[in-house]
Amino acid sequence: MGTTRSIHTQTNPFSLPLLATATIGDPEYQPGPFDGGTAADQIATLSDFQTITFSGANNTIDAAIALSSTDLLDNAVPADDGYGMPNSTIYGDANGDGLFDNRDALLGLNVQKYGRTTRLTHGQITGVNATVTVCYQVSGISCTKTARFVDQLIISPGTFSGGGDSGSLIVTDDANLNPVGLLFAGSSSVTIANRIDLVLNRFGVSVDGFAPPPPRPLTDLAVIGMSGPSTLVQNTTGNIAVTVKNFGNQDISSFDVTLQDTTAHVIVGTQTVAGLVAGASTTLTFAWTPATTGDHGLVASHNLTDQRPGNDQRSLTIPVTPPITDVAVTGFTGAGSVIVGHTVNVGVTVANVGNQNVTSSFTVSLQDSTAGVTLGTQTVAGLAPGTNTLVVFSWNTTGAALGGHTLVATQSLSDDNAANNKLTSVVTVTPKPTDIALTGITGPRSVAQGDVVTVQNVGEVDVGPSFTVILTDGWAGPTVGTGTVAGLVVGATTTVDIPWNTAGAAITGHTLFATQQLADANPANNSIGIGINVTLPSVSPPPPPPPPPPPGTDLAVTGITGPRSVAQGDTAHVVVTVQNVGGLDVTTNFDVVLTDGFAGATGGGRQLHGHGLGKLPRCRTTAAATASTTAAAAAPAAPAAPAAPAPAAAAAAPAAAAAAPAATAAAAAAD
């Protein structure tokens, strides 16, 4: 391969030891070192390669190019046993952009290649846009290094390539020899190729081949596919699909497609196709009813004479099995043990494992072969091939013997395989259990006088002997109390009151466990616990002090009012307020006395009636008294007549009057 400036050879990196150590400029040998090539056989040097990702990410090509010259390379494979020079134009690139116009159009394309190992081979593209995982390194029998490739071409048959053919150019299997793919991997059943358009675009090169000649008329009708059931029952009908495609460039007129059963040497059928334009395809369906058993080889072919007869027919092998009616008892469902006296459901599964539809009814019975009794019989109204049904029987074990019972399920249909018409299962009948359960416990949230434990017989056997219930402080702690239960019939409940003396108990939270001591069939419910908080003893507060004694008799003068000044010789009115502030009514009369000075002369008086004050325990009243400020000295109140001279003894009177103290009132009642 090459460009107008340089000549390259194109191949796969693993053909050039490039997996891990390749370097641009490395030599390429022909033949390779594996086939004995040495430095004298160098034909090119590595100029570029596509790095493969082994991390699980997608790869699209595995390719490399090496720079060479026309002195060392030709641009064709051998013409005697190969196809010669390829076309320089890739397949399906009508617009000339270097990419396939329609990748899916490659499906069914007939191709060929010339390789180092298998030389010239022919095949067909049977898959496009394939995702494959390719192993690059093996240790023993295990693959230790893989790469994921997408958008790959799959080519059949498996003989299309072999080890050493990697790097072969794959071209169309016609006179055009258009490049299609670059072979890079394969297995015993398929060959995997990179798309040639992606390879050429990656390296910016083209195929050094001939220019395509004007297309010559080509008639090529191919049978490209056959499909049918994987197996078929003798004397039943299956559909066989046959697909034909016009690979030529000429429209085709009417032709016949025939399906033959080559094993039975019979023609299954012939159908006529009215015509097929170039590039078109059609699928025909044939109804096939084989009369004999065994592997049958079917061959589909057309009768059109064309220029490539190698693809005019295709074959398919389908096994034909004899008709088999086979209803089998395939399984049991249900408990493996049951308590005597209980009822248990036993499920029996029956399946149509044959290939014939069972339309008639049949019965399924269940027997207890140990006791020699039939537990039940039920009817199944037919069963289609590959289906099953579940039949459920109810078994009441009252009176059944203890121990293992062999149950046998049997279907009654006479079929081709009696060996699977019955199935057995063993169910153990066990005695009724003794089970005393502690179902409840109550107690104070903090320290109290005791705990109440509820005990119930939840088993199926009456408990006659007495048993004890102990109360411990903690799961394995000391026993703080014990109670006794004098037997308990099935289903009965009783309570046990167990006092707990908390003297000396730690001041903290305590978990008390009650445990019944009777050995029974279910120890899981023999204990129950409760949390109780032990706190410090409470101290009563001191009593409140007694109320103070009520006060005695108390009359108070609480107020006095009068004029701020008064002329000598005038009469002043003074108002005195008296209040009973004591705790007793005052019912006797008492006097209120007004004096001029604390111990002076009496200025006036007023008697109050005690009954008026006694209406309320603590009341208030007022008394008005008249006080005279008359003094012995003459007052200068009358300026019209001059006063006579006063005697010396009286001269001090005005001063005394002027300096007289405030009037004082006193209640005269004893209080």
Side-chain angles (χ1 to χ4, degrees):
M1 300 182 182
T3 67
T4 57
R5 294 187 178 181
S6 57
I7 302 299
H8 295 80
T9 177
Q10 187 155 7
T11 184
N12 301 115
F14 58 81
S15 306
L16 300 173
L18 294 179
L19 281 178
T21 61
T23 303
I24 302 301
D26 283 352
E28 181 180 356
Y29 303 137
Q30 179 62 34
F34 184 81
D35 294 327
T38 65
D41 299 307
Q42 180 177 348
I43 60 170
T45 56
L46 178 64
S47 58
D48 197 2
F49 63 91
Q50 174 64 36
T51 302
I52 301 173
T53 300
F54 295 97
S55 63
N58 292 337
N59 297 277
T60 54
I61 66 171
D62 176 2
I65 60 173
L67 182 64
S68 185
S69 70
T70 55
D71 295 334
L72 298 173
L73 291 180
D74 195 359
N75 62 347
V77 300
D80 52 352
D81 64 344
Y83 57 79
M85 182 186 300
N87 200 317
S88 61
T89 302
I90 66 172
Y91 176 81
D93 183 21
N95 59 13
D97 64 355
L99 295 172
F100 294 142
D101 295 336
N102 180 8
R103 175 195 60 196
D104 295 343
L106 276 66
L107 188 63
L109 181 67
N110 293 320
V111 294
Q112 59 185 324
K113 75 97 184 63
Y114 187 85
R116 170 260 193 196
T117 303
T118 58
R119 305 294 178 180
L120 181 66
T121 57
H122 303 272
Q124 186 180 67
I125 296 178
T126 56
V128 297
N129 194 29
T131 298
V132 296
T133 299
V134 178
C135 180
Y136 280 82
Q137 185 170 301
V138 177
S139 177
I141 61 173
S142 300
C143 183
T144 59
K145 195 171 190 178
T146 62
R148 172 186 170 93
F149 286 82
V150 297
D151 202 5
Q152 302 300 296
L153 305 178
I154 305 299
I155 301 167
S156 297
T159 55
F160 184 74
S161 67
D165 285 334
S166 295
S168 300
L169 181 66
I170 300 171
V171 299
T172 56
D173 195 3
D174 56 21
N176 294 322
L177 302 177
N178 297 110
V180 175
L182 181 68
L183 194 153
F184 91 104
S187 68
S188 60
S189 57
V190 295
T191 293
I192 303 168
N194 300 153
R195 286 173 43 176
I196 194 62
D197 58 339
L198 301 181
V199 174
L200 297 178
N201 278 276
R202 160 63 179 84
F203 298 110
V205 297
S206 61
V207 177
D208 184 13
F210 66 83
R216 57 183 177 84
L218 175 65
T219 301
D220 182 12
L221 180 65
V223 179
I224 64 172
M226 289 183 66
S227 63
S230 58
T231 61
L232 199 61
V233 177
Q234 180 185 9
N235 295 321
T236 61
T237 300
N239 290 328
I240 309 299
V242 178
T243 301
V244 292
K245 182 176 181 178
N246 185 351
F247 279 111
N249 55 22
Q250 304 295 303
D251 294 344
I252 297 174
S253 58
S254 176
F255 61 91
D256 293 335
V257 176
T258 300
L259 179 66
Q260 289 182 303
D261 182 347
T262 58
T263 301
H265 305 291
V266 296
I267 295 177
V268 177
T270 298
Q271 297 187 40
T272 300
V273 179
L276 210 58
V277 299
S281 63
T282 188
T283 299
L284 309 172
T285 301
F286 295 84
W288 173 47
T289 305
T292 59
T293 61
D295 290 343
H296 282 243
L298 302 180
V299 176
S301 61
H302 68 77
N303 65 348
L304 182 74
T305 300
D306 59 10
Q307 294 167 265
R308 300 192 65 82
N311 56 15
D312 289 352
Q313 68 179 27
R314 188 173 285 266
S315 62
L316 177 68
T317 299
I318 297 179
V320 177
T321 60
I324 297 175
T325 300
D326 187 6
V327 174
V329 180
T330 59
F332 275 94
T333 59
S337 64
V338 58
I339 298 171
V340 64
H342 287 211
T343 298
V344 63
N345 287 332
V346 179
V348 176
T349 300
V350 290
N352 185 345
V353 296
N355 54 31
Q356 299 298 295
N357 188 22
V358 176
T359 57
S360 61
S361 298
F362 59 93
T363 62
V364 178
S365 62
L366 183 66
Q367 289 181 313
D368 179 356
S369 64
T370 301
V373 296
T374 299
L375 303 179
T377 299
Q378 298 193 41
T379 300
V380 178
L383 210 56
T387 63
N388 62 71
T389 188
L390 178 67
V391 183
V392 179
F393 297 87
S394 181
W395 177 27
N396 187 335
T397 62
T398 300
L402 300 181
H405 286 243
T406 300
L407 305 185
V408 181
T410 307
Q411 69 88 6
S412 64
L413 184 72
S414 177
D415 58 13
D416 296 323
N417 182 15
N420 57 15
N421 287 352
K422 65 173 57 179
L423 192 66
T424 63
S425 179
V426 176
V427 177
T428 302
V429 178
T430 61
K432 293 183 176 181
T434 299
D435 189 5
I436 299 296
L438 299 191
T439 58
I441 183 170
T442 60
R445 295 181 63 86
S446 59
V447 170
Q449 293 303 309
D451 298 317
V452 176
V453 179
T454 301
V455 185
Q456 182 179 5
N457 187 343
V458 296
E460 300 184 33
V461 177
D462 293 343
V463 174
S466 298
F467 59 92
T468 59
V469 178
I470 64 171
L471 185 68
T472 59
D473 185 359
W475 178 248
T479 299
V480 298
T482 302
T484 301
V485 178
L488 209 59
V489 299
V490 172
T493 300
T494 189
T495 57
V496 181
D497 189 354
I498 304 176
W500 176 29
N501 186 344
T502 59
I507 307 302
T508 185
H510 291 247
T511 301
L512 302 184
F513 288 94
T515 304
Q516 70 87 6
Q517 301 299 296
L518 181 72
D520 60 11
N522 183 18
N525 57 15
N526 288 354
S527 296
I528 195 168
I530 187 173
I532 297 179
N533 194 35
V534 176
T535 61
L536 289 170
S538 60
V539 179
S540 300
T553 302
D554 187 5
L555 289 177
V557 177
T558 59
I560 183 170
T561 61
R564 294 183 62 83
S565 64
V566 64
Q568 183 180 21
D570 289 344
T571 299
H573 292 275
V574 178
V575 178
V576 179
T577 300
V578 181
Q579 182 178 358
N580 185 347
V581 297
L584 299 174
D585 292 347
V586 176
T587 58
T588 59
N589 296 341
F590 59 90
D591 295 330
V592 177
V593 178
L594 183 66
T595 60
D596 185 1
F598 189 74
T602 299
R606 180 75 178 266
Q607 185 181 67
L608 297 180
H609 297 284
H611 64 83
L613 291 176
K615 292 180 181 178
L616 293 174
R618 298 175 65 86
C619 61
R620 175 182 298 174
T621 188
T622 58
T626 302
S628 176
T629 60
T630 304
T664 300
D671 59 334

